[in-house]
Protein backbone atom coordinates (compact mmCIF):
# COMPACT_ATOMS: atom_id res chain seq x y z
CA UNK A 1 0.00 0.00 0.00
CA UNK A 2 1.57 3.29 -1.10
CA UNK A 3 0.33 6.68 0.01
CA UNK A 4 0.14 9.80 -2.14
CA UNK A 5 -0.78 13.37 -1.42
CA UNK A 6 -3.02 15.37 -3.71
CA UNK A 7 -4.17 18.79 -2.55
CA UNK A 8 -4.66 18.60 1.18
CA UNK A 9 -5.49 14.90 1.52
CA UNK A 10 -3.77 11.53 1.25
CA UNK A 11 -5.13 8.57 -0.70
CA UNK A 12 -4.10 4.93 -0.56
CA UNK A 13 -3.76 2.86 -3.74
CA UNK A 14 -3.40 -0.88 -3.82
CA UNK A 15 -2.33 -2.81 -6.92
CA UNK A 16 -2.36 -0.66 -10.04
CA UNK A 17 -1.14 2.85 -9.28
CA UNK A 18 -2.60 6.01 -10.75
CA UNK A 19 -0.55 8.90 -12.08
CA UNK A 20 -0.79 11.96 -9.85
CA UNK A 21 0.74 15.45 -9.97
CA UNK A 22 4.29 15.32 -8.64
CA UNK A 23 4.59 15.69 -4.89
CA UNK A 24 7.08 14.51 -2.29
CA UNK A 25 6.72 13.60 1.35
CA UNK A 26 8.48 15.99 3.71
CA UNK A 27 7.51 14.38 7.02
CA UNK A 28 9.67 11.26 6.69
CA UNK A 29 13.46 10.91 6.29
CA UNK A 30 14.97 11.49 2.87
CA UNK A 31 13.65 14.90 1.82
CA UNK A 32 15.97 17.72 0.82
CA UNK A 33 16.68 20.36 3.49
CA UNK A 34 15.09 23.00 1.25
CA UNK A 35 11.78 21.12 1.49
CA UNK A 36 11.50 21.75 5.25
CA UNK A 37 8.44 24.01 5.43
CA UNK A 38 9.16 24.54 9.12
CA UNK A 39 12.42 26.32 8.27
CA UNK A 40 11.42 27.63 4.86
CA UNK A 41 7.64 28.21 4.96
CA UNK A 42 7.62 30.34 1.81
CA UNK A 43 9.06 28.53 -1.25
CA UNK A 44 9.09 31.82 -3.14
CA UNK A 45 11.00 33.87 -0.55
CA UNK A 46 14.28 33.50 -2.46
CA UNK A 47 16.06 31.37 -5.04
CA UNK A 48 19.37 31.37 -3.17
CA UNK A 49 20.32 33.26 -0.05
CA UNK A 50 23.83 33.62 1.44
CA UNK A 51 22.32 33.12 4.89
CA UNK A 52 21.40 29.55 3.91
CA UNK A 53 24.27 28.01 1.91
CA UNK A 54 23.23 24.96 -0.07
CA UNK A 55 19.51 25.75 0.08
CA UNK A 56 17.73 26.53 -3.17
CA UNK A 57 14.03 27.36 -3.33
CA UNK A 58 11.74 27.93 -6.34
CA UNK A 59 12.01 31.68 -5.71
CA UNK A 60 9.99 34.76 -6.67
CA UNK A 61 10.89 34.80 -10.37
CA UNK A 62 9.65 31.25 -10.87
CA UNK A 63 6.49 32.07 -8.92
CA UNK A 64 5.75 35.01 -11.18
CA UNK A 65 6.67 33.16 -14.38
CA UNK A 66 4.56 30.12 -13.57
CA UNK A 67 1.69 31.78 -11.71
CA UNK A 68 2.12 29.59 -8.66
CA UNK A 69 0.59 30.16 -5.23
CA UNK A 70 0.75 28.03 -2.08
CA UNK A 71 -2.95 28.73 -1.55
CA UNK A 72 -4.03 27.26 -4.88
CA UNK A 73 -1.71 25.40 -7.25
CA UNK A 74 1.63 24.85 -5.48
CA UNK A 75 1.67 22.61 -2.42
CA UNK A 76 4.19 23.45 0.30
CA UNK A 77 3.47 22.37 3.85
CA UNK A 78 4.69 20.19 6.71
CA UNK A 79 3.86 16.91 4.97
CA UNK A 80 3.92 17.43 1.19
CA UNK A 81 5.55 19.63 -1.43
CA UNK A 82 5.02 20.05 -5.15
CA UNK A 83 7.93 18.89 -7.32
CA UNK A 84 8.76 20.25 -10.77
CA UNK A 85 11.00 19.31 -13.68
CA UNK A 86 14.37 20.97 -13.19
CA UNK A 87 16.70 19.63 -15.86
CA UNK A 88 19.57 17.18 -15.57
CA UNK A 89 22.38 16.44 -13.17
CA UNK A 90 22.89 12.68 -12.87
CA UNK A 91 24.86 10.93 -15.64
CA UNK A 92 23.73 7.33 -15.77
CA UNK A 93 27.38 6.33 -16.27
CA UNK A 94 28.43 7.41 -12.76
CA UNK A 95 29.15 4.94 -9.97
CA UNK A 96 26.58 3.89 -7.37
CA UNK A 97 25.98 6.51 -4.70
CA UNK A 98 23.13 7.58 -2.43
CA UNK A 99 23.79 11.15 -1.34
CA UNK A 100 21.95 11.02 1.98
CA UNK A 101 22.31 7.31 2.89
CA UNK A 102 18.53 6.93 3.30
CA UNK A 103 17.85 3.59 1.63
CA UNK A 104 14.68 1.74 0.67
CA UNK A 105 16.26 -1.33 2.29
CA UNK A 106 20.03 -1.17 2.75
CA UNK A 107 23.21 -0.09 1.00
CA UNK A 108 23.98 -3.56 -0.36
CA UNK A 109 20.56 -3.92 -1.98
CA UNK A 110 20.82 -0.39 -3.36
CA UNK A 111 24.25 -0.99 -4.89
CA UNK A 112 23.09 -4.22 -6.55
CA UNK A 113 19.92 -2.57 -7.87
CA UNK A 114 21.88 0.41 -9.16
CA UNK A 115 24.46 -1.67 -11.03
CA UNK A 116 21.73 -3.81 -12.61
CA UNK A 117 19.79 -0.68 -13.66
CA UNK A 118 22.91 0.96 -15.05
CA UNK A 119 24.02 -2.12 -16.99
CA UNK A 120 20.61 -2.57 -18.55
CA UNK A 121 20.40 1.11 -19.52
CA UNK A 122 23.84 1.12 -21.09
CA UNK A 123 23.68 -2.24 -22.90
CA UNK A 124 20.02 -3.17 -23.47
CA UNK A 125 18.38 0.04 -24.63
CA UNK A 126 18.48 2.25 -27.70
CA UNK A 127 20.40 5.52 -27.49
CA UNK A 128 18.01 8.19 -28.76
CA UNK A 129 19.42 11.73 -28.69
CA UNK A 130 21.39 10.91 -25.56
CA UNK A 131 18.54 9.09 -23.80
CA UNK A 132 18.58 5.34 -23.06
CA UNK A 133 15.15 4.23 -24.27
CA UNK A 134 13.27 0.92 -24.12
CA UNK A 135 9.67 -0.26 -24.27
CA UNK A 136 8.19 -2.22 -21.37
CA UNK A 137 5.01 -2.75 -19.39
CA UNK A 138 3.97 -1.01 -16.16
CA UNK A 139 0.61 -1.72 -14.50
CA UNK A 140 -0.64 -3.38 -17.68
CA UNK A 141 0.27 -0.41 -19.87
CA UNK A 142 2.90 -0.63 -22.60
CA UNK A 143 5.11 2.45 -22.44
CA UNK A 144 8.27 3.73 -24.08
CA UNK A 145 10.53 5.41 -21.57
CA UNK A 146 14.04 6.72 -21.04
CA UNK A 147 15.91 5.20 -18.10
CA UNK A 148 17.31 7.66 -15.58
CA UNK A 149 18.74 8.15 -12.09
CA UNK A 150 18.39 11.13 -9.77
CA UNK A 151 16.00 12.76 -7.32
CA UNK A 152 13.09 10.95 -5.72
CA UNK A 153 9.40 11.80 -5.44
CA UNK A 154 6.41 10.68 -3.36
CA UNK A 155 7.75 8.74 -0.33
CA UNK A 156 10.83 7.39 -2.12
CA UNK A 157 14.22 6.48 -0.75
CA UNK A 158 17.40 5.47 -2.55
CA UNK A 159 16.56 2.31 -4.46
CA UNK A 160 12.94 3.26 -5.16
CA UNK A 161 11.73 3.50 -8.76
CA UNK A 162 9.15 5.80 -10.30
CA UNK A 163 7.52 6.45 -13.63
CA UNK A 164 7.49 10.14 -14.54
CA UNK A 165 5.11 11.42 -17.23
CA UNK A 166 5.13 14.76 -19.06
CA UNK A 167 2.65 15.03 -21.90
CA UNK A 168 3.00 11.77 -23.84
CA UNK A 169 6.61 11.09 -22.77
CA UNK A 170 7.87 8.89 -19.92
CA UNK A 171 11.01 8.45 -17.82
CA UNK A 172 11.72 5.49 -15.55
CA UNK A 173 13.66 6.89 -12.60
CA UNK A 174 15.80 5.03 -10.06
CA UNK A 175 16.18 7.23 -6.98
CA UNK A 176 19.81 7.89 -6.03
CA UNK A 177 19.44 11.18 -4.14
CA UNK A 178 17.06 13.07 -1.89
CA UNK A 179 13.41 13.70 -2.65
CA UNK A 180 13.40 17.28 -3.88
CA UNK A 181 11.10 19.93 -5.32
CA UNK A 182 13.68 20.40 -8.08
CA UNK A 183 13.25 17.05 -9.82
CA UNK A 184 16.44 16.33 -11.77
CA UNK A 185 17.02 13.43 -14.14
CA UNK A 186 19.90 11.87 -16.04
CA UNK A 187 21.44 13.75 -18.91
CA UNK A 188 19.49 12.86 -22.05
CA UNK A 189 16.43 11.65 -20.14
CA UNK A 190 15.65 15.24 -19.21
CA UNK A 191 15.30 16.28 -22.85
CA UNK A 192 13.49 13.08 -23.79
CA UNK A 193 10.78 14.05 -21.30
CA UNK A 194 10.56 17.69 -22.44
CA UNK A 195 12.75 19.39 -25.05
CA UNK A 196 13.15 22.52 -22.89
CA UNK A 197 13.74 20.72 -19.59
CA UNK A 198 17.07 22.34 -18.73
CA UNK A 199 15.98 24.19 -15.58
CA UNK A 200 13.59 27.05 -15.02
CA UNK A 201 10.50 25.24 -16.29
CA UNK A 202 6.94 25.42 -14.99
CA UNK A 203 6.28 21.71 -15.56
CA UNK A 204 4.71 19.71 -12.74
CA UNK A 205 4.92 16.18 -14.16
CA UNK A 206 2.74 13.25 -13.22
CA UNK A 207 4.35 10.45 -11.23
CA UNK A 208 3.65 7.02 -9.81
CA UNK A 209 5.70 4.26 -8.16
CA UNK A 210 6.82 1.32 -10.24
CA UNK A 211 8.74 -1.90 -9.74
CA UNK A 212 12.35 -1.44 -10.78
CA UNK A 213 12.18 -4.92 -12.28
CA UNK A 214 9.52 -3.84 -14.79
CA UNK A 215 12.15 -2.51 -17.19
CA UNK A 216 13.98 -5.86 -17.33
CA UNK A 217 10.99 -7.44 -18.99
CA UNK A 218 11.42 -5.00 -21.88
CA UNK A 219 9.14 -5.84 -24.77
CA UNK A 220 11.67 -4.44 -27.21
CA UNK A 221 14.49 -1.99 -27.55
CA UNK A 222 13.12 1.03 -29.39
Amino acid sequence: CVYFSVGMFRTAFVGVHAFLPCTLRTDIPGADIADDAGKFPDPFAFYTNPKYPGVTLPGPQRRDKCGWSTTSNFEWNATDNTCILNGQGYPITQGPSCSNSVYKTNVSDFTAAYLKWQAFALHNTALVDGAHVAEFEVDGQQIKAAMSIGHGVLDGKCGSCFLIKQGDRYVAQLQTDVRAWSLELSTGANLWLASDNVGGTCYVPEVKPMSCDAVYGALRVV
Side-chain angles (χ1 to χ4, degrees):
C1 187
V2 180
Y3 289 88
F4 301 89
S5 172
V6 181
M8 301 305 292
F9 60 91
R10 202 177 297 279
T11 306
F13 291 89
V14 179
V16 176
H17 302 286
F19 276 109
L20 293 171
C22 191
T23 59
L24 64 104
R25 292 280 300 275
T26 60
D27 58 341
I28 57 177
D32 182 53
I33 186 173
D35 292 296
D36 188 341
K39 295 180 180 178
F40 306 103
D42 180 4
F44 310 122
F46 60 83
Y47 175 61
T48 59
N49 188 322
K51 292 183 179 180
Y52 307 104
V55 174
T56 303
L57 298 177
Q61 290 185 333
R62 188 80 67 93
R63 174 198 60 202
D64 296 343
K65 173 185 176 181
C66 302
W68 287 332
S69 169
T70 54
T71 61
S72 60
N73 59 0
F74 197 92
E75 194 165 3
W76 193 274
N77 56 52
T79 59
D80 302 277
N81 287 355
T82 292
C83 38
I84 66 175
L85 294 184
N86 204 50
Q88 78 285 352
Y90 297 86
I92 205 163
T93 53
Q94 69 184 31
S97 175
C98 172
S99 65
N100 61 357
S101 299
V102 178
Y103 298 99
K104 180 181 177 182
T105 53
N106 56 60
V107 64
S108 296
D109 288 348
F110 167 75
T111 300
Y114 183 103
L115 293 174
K116 184 177 181 180
W117 186 270
Q118 181 184 61
F120 191 89
L122 295 179
H123 303 296
N124 297 92
T125 61
L127 190 61
V128 182
D129 296 328
H132 297 274
V133 181
E135 194 169 308
F136 48 89
E137 190 173 287
V138 177
D139 291 338
Q141 179 185 7
Q142 185 174 319
I143 59 101
K144 182 165 65 175
M147 293 181 67
S148 175
I149 62 171
H151 284 146
V153 298
L154 301 174
D155 59 355
K157 299 178 176 66
C158 287
S160 299
C161 286
F162 304 94
L163 196 59
I164 303 167
K165 180 176 184 286
Q166 179 62 36
D168 61 355
R169 289 293 183 104
Y170 299 87
V171 160
Q173 177 96 328
L174 171 66
Q175 182 175 338
T176 61
D177 200 349
V178 294
R179 300 186 301 277
W181 68 263
S182 53
L183 178 56
E184 295 179 4
L185 314 174
S186 291
T187 304
N190 64 307
L191 298 180
W192 168 266
L193 197 59
S195 61
D196 57 348
N197 180 23
V198 291
T201 79
C202 297
Y203 298 131
V204 178
E206 295 178 276
V207 297
K208 69 176 181 177
M210 62 172 278
S211 167
C212 299
D213 289 338
V215 301
Y216 307 128
L219 302 174
R220 63 189 180 99
V221 173
V222 179

